[in-house]
Amino acid sequence: MKILKIMGSILIIAILLLITAAVALPLVIDPNDYKEQISDTIKEQTGLTLAIDGNLSLSVFPWLGIKTEQVTISQPDIVLTSMPEAAPLISVEAISVGVKLLPLLNKAIEVDTVLLQKPEITFLVTATGSDSLASINGSSSEETSENKSSDSTQAIAALSIAGMDITDGKVTYSNQQEKTNFILENLNINSGDLLSQQAVPFSLTATISGQDITPTDITLDSKVALNKDALAISISDFVTSVTQQNVNNADSVEVTTEFDTFDYQHQAGTSSIKSLTITGKMGDIPFSGSIPSTDISLEQKSVSIPEFTIDSLGIKTSGDVSLKNWDGMGMAIGHIHVAPFDAKEVLQKLKIDYSPKQASALDRVELTSGFNGTANGLSLNKTTVSIDNTELTGDISIIDYTNPKYQFDLSLSAINIDNYLPAQQASTNNNNETQTSVDTTEALRALAAPIALLQSIYANGVFRAQDLMASNIQIDNAVITVASNQQTTTITPAIKLYKGSLDGKMTVDKTPDPTLSIISTLKNIQLEPLLIDADITDQFSGTANIDKNITVTNVASSKPTVTGSMRVVAKDGAIKGIDIKKILDDSQAKIDALRGKQTPTANTTEDKTRFAEMSATLLIDNHIITNNDLSIKAPVSRITGKGTVDIQQQTLDYASTITVVNTNEGQGGKEANDLKGITIPVRFTGPLTSPNYQIDFEALLKANSSQKLEQEKDKLKNKLLDKLGVDSNDNDKPASTQAIKEQAKDKLEDKLKEKLFDKLFK
């Protein structure tokens, strides 16, 4: 608007100067003799230098006319000091203007159509802030200005201009302070008598280009009526077209704007637009919009649009908006409603290939919201987003677009996110059973991915979900709180899942080498469905408590690192793929074979080991997981172990010991009484999905031989006690060999005393 005012002021000044010259010229014979005087007058009045390089020619009747060529008005001295090579403020290749003689007798000026050929206006702003109108703005005192204003008003009251015809004009704007520029060229303007107070045609064509502006063609046709007494403007039958044609036609833009009437009343301070419509297309995408009425209050600095509609790609949007205090902070308040539409059809029109897992996904999308916004932020309130059978409701706001800060309070009814994933994603997943290694660098980067998101985000709010499925994991009644400040962003989840709960805290610090800290507790989780749904493994079942404390560090100069620990305590479950019963059967069979005893092969196997309780602490160091305290309490055994798992190679190396505490009959096998009380060393190695095991039979035989030796000692001990007359089942029987010797000595002495007594007294 500022540049338009500047351009208008310059044109009016130029025209009035030319009209003044045309009125004075009948008094002279050769107008060329007065070029210097005309130039001096312009210099005195404006501070600018006028140069007329072409000849001045006159016509007298019925029009007092003047024609000239090569007219220039230089930039003010303050601009030329900084930019000595600057183009003139105004240059015109040819000017023609005529004034009727007879109306001059009544002090009225009737001007014929003003013709300007190739006018060029160059408006400059220097690095110090001086501009091309500096001398004009400060060339007269307030009193002189008031007098000129009064004279101008009187002159305009008796002035009529048949029309204006500008051909092949050009306007250049260059601002060295703001480093911006644009050019309006191929400018053609044709109008009727704009001062007649009647609606007259007005048309304009031009091309605008410049810094960050793709060349854009503009055409405008309308009827304009000016009421100079009431300072009112009325525009009707307005049609303007804007075409931006890029090298890539897909990026071209065509916009046509029309309205029935535009009325501006200066004295009332009001303005209005009726029946505004906008149509066009961006590339191959058509769009349209309409605003039945717009009311503008200059006094209140407000704009009211009671109704608007927008239609594009089959998405119909409607609402209302009002703008208040536009010259201050400015606030837009309104409502918006996006009618239900098929999002997949929209994506197809945008040539985006999308085939969701569930064919009916995104069949129906709808949005309703209130909004209020300023130049510094936007708030959506009472928002409802409907996606098929899912509803997202709540409020969300953003403050400071440059460094955004988000606030939200959102609630989600129920959604299965997996249904909206591309269908081909599931079919291209790798088969875990054939995968022998994984790219741990990518895995570590995936773990570190939230750091980049959370480090740059500043958000505070609460998100609630009643029923959510993502990555095949079922979540119920989730409440996720996000809290941010300048130093950290913390996410605190409280979630119900798999008959248990998840509570914890995930924190990212905003340092040059940020870290992600994950502390969480899973309570009473059903392991088997969780691990199967998460596509981790189907080899564990039971009710578990899991405490996790993991730190992910994202160092800019190297790949991310992951360290921490997990404590797992599970009850009443089973480990699939490891059959302790079979291991015990194999051990018993080995012992029986050494004895030469035939052992029938067991026909039944569960290929799993049930347990009453299992606990383990997992120490995580990037792709290596170490465990040193495995403890499993199974019905017939106690299992301990330690070892490592290599996530990168998908292998394990694990040493365990199985202590038999009862017979194996309880799990469907034959009795293994020979193993009762024996510790069996077993080593597991190989792929995670199908590990191999090896029993340390040498250690097993040593343990078995020691047990048999002790059993034989007990038998001999019991025989000796029987001979000595001591009941072997007596709880008070001697416990050691030395005690037996002492007791035998005492018994022998007693026998000798008895024999001697008998000899002496009988």
Side-chain angles (χ1 to χ4, degrees), residues 714-726 728:
D714 288 340
K715 289 180 181 179
L716 292 173
K717 188 188 298 181
N718 290 335
K719 286 181 179 180
L720 179 58
L721 290 173
D722 289 339
K723 288 183 178 181
L724 293 174
V726 179
S728 60

Side-chain angles (χ1 to χ4, degrees), residues 241-256:
S241 296
V242 176
T243 303
Q244 187 181 81
Q245 191 70 40
N246 292 348
V247 175
N248 182 358
N249 290 333
D251 296 329
S252 63
V253 178
E254 297 179 13
V255 181
T256 299

Side-chain angles (χ1 to χ4, degrees), residues 329-343:
M329 285 295 295
M331 175 175 287
I333 302 173
H335 303 84
I336 188 171
H337 175 239
V338 179
F341 65 94
D342 188 329

Side-chain angles (χ1 to χ4, degrees), residues 85-112:
E85 302 298 325
L89 173 61
I90 299 174
S91 67
V92 184
E93 186 175 286
I95 300 173
S96 176
V97 62
V99 180
K100 278 188 177 182
L101 288 175
L102 294 179
L104 291 175
L105 300 176
N106 297 320
K107 297 183 179 181
I109 301 175
E110 293 185 13
V111 181
D112 193 10

Side-chain angles (χ1 to χ4, degrees), residues 205-221:
T205 62
T207 299
I208 185 171
S209 61
Q211 182 178 338
D212 300 326
I213 301 175
T214 301
T216 303
D217 297 329
I218 302 170
T219 63
L220 184 152
D221 287 291

Side-chain angles (χ1 to χ4, degrees), residues 279-578:
T279 58
K281 64 178 182 178
M282 298 180 65
D284 297 328
I285 302 173
F287 62 87
S288 64
S290 66
I291 301 175
S293 66
T294 302
D295 296 316
I296 304 169
S297 173
L298 302 177
E299 182 179 355
Q300 297 179 0
K301 307 294 189 295
S302 65
V303 178
S304 175
I305 300 176
E307 179 185 355
F308 69 83
T309 60
I310 302 172
D311 189 350
S312 180
L313 295 169
I315 303 175
K316 299 181 185 299
T317 304
S318 61
D320 62 86
V321 62
S322 61
L323 176 64
K324 300 181 179 180
N325 191 27
W326 71 56
D327 64 343
M329 285 295 295
M331 175 175 287
I333 302 173
H335 303 84
I336 188 171
H337 175 239
V338 179
F341 65 94
D342 188 329
K344 290 199 297 296
E345 289 184 359
V346 174
L347 294 174
Q348 288 175 0
K349 292 176 181 178
L350 293 173
K351 299 179 180 179
I352 297 175
D353 185 16
Y354 172 71
S355 298
K357 180 180 177 181
Q358 181 172 295
S360 61
L362 294 181
D363 277 354
R364 185 183 183 278
V365 178
E366 183 179 7
L367 167 68
T368 301
S369 181
F371 66 88
N372 61 77
T374 67
N376 194 47
L378 174 67
S379 175
L380 300 179
N381 50 76
K382 296 182 179 179
T383 301
T384 300
V385 180
S386 299
I387 303 175
D388 300 324
N389 296 320
T390 299
E391 279 197 354
L392 176 68
T393 60
D395 305 327
I396 185 169
S397 62
I398 176 175
I399 302 171
D400 189 357
Y401 300 120
T402 305
N403 299 297
K405 299 177 176 63
Y406 301 93
Q407 293 183 334
F408 60 91
D409 188 342
L410 300 172
S411 297
L412 184 71
S413 58
I415 190 171
N416 184 340
I417 295 176
D418 296 339
N419 289 339
Y420 296 87
L421 297 178
Q424 62 268 26
Q425 181 171 319
S427 62
T428 57
N429 286 339
N430 291 329
N431 189 335
N432 289 334
E433 293 184 0
T434 61
Q435 187 173 359
T436 58
S437 65
V438 296
D439 187 346
T440 55
T441 299
E442 292 303 317
L444 292 173
R445 285 174 180 164
L447 282 172
I451 294 179
L453 173 64
L454 298 176
Q455 186 186 26
S456 59
I457 200 170
Y458 195 111
N460 291 275
V462 179
F463 173 77
R464 305 172 184 84
Q466 296 179 9
D467 187 353
L468 174 67
M469 179 172 283
S471 298
N472 208 39
I473 296 176
Q474 181 67 45
I475 295 173
D476 303 311
N477 298 322
V479 178
I480 300 174
T481 304
V482 180
S484 298
N485 54 40
Q486 297 295 339
Q487 290 76 37
T488 61
T489 294
T490 300
I491 297 178
T492 305
I495 299 171
K496 302 295 183 183
L497 71 169
Y498 295 92
K499 299 184 179 179
S501 63
L502 167 66
D503 295 285
K505 182 168 64 174
M506 182 168 63
T507 303
V508 170
D509 65 67
K510 302 177 181 180
T511 58
D513 293 329
T515 59
L516 169 64
S517 172
I518 303 173
I519 300 173
S520 65
T521 299
L522 284 163
K523 292 183 179 179
N524 299 321
I525 298 296
Q526 296 300 307
L527 274 179
E528 185 172 31
L530 171 60
L531 296 176
I532 291 175
D533 288 350
D535 198 24
I536 297 175
T537 181
D538 61 353
Q539 295 177 305
F540 291 93
S541 64
T543 303
N545 293 336
I546 303 174
D547 295 316
K548 179 167 61 176
N549 191 335
I550 295 176
T551 300
V552 182
T553 303
N554 191 19
V555 181
S557 59
S558 62
K559 66 182 181 181
T561 61
V562 180
T563 58
S565 64
M566 291 178 61
R567 176 67 178 170
V568 180
V569 178
K571 295 183 178 181
D572 302 325
I575 304 174
K576 297 180 181 179
I578 299 176

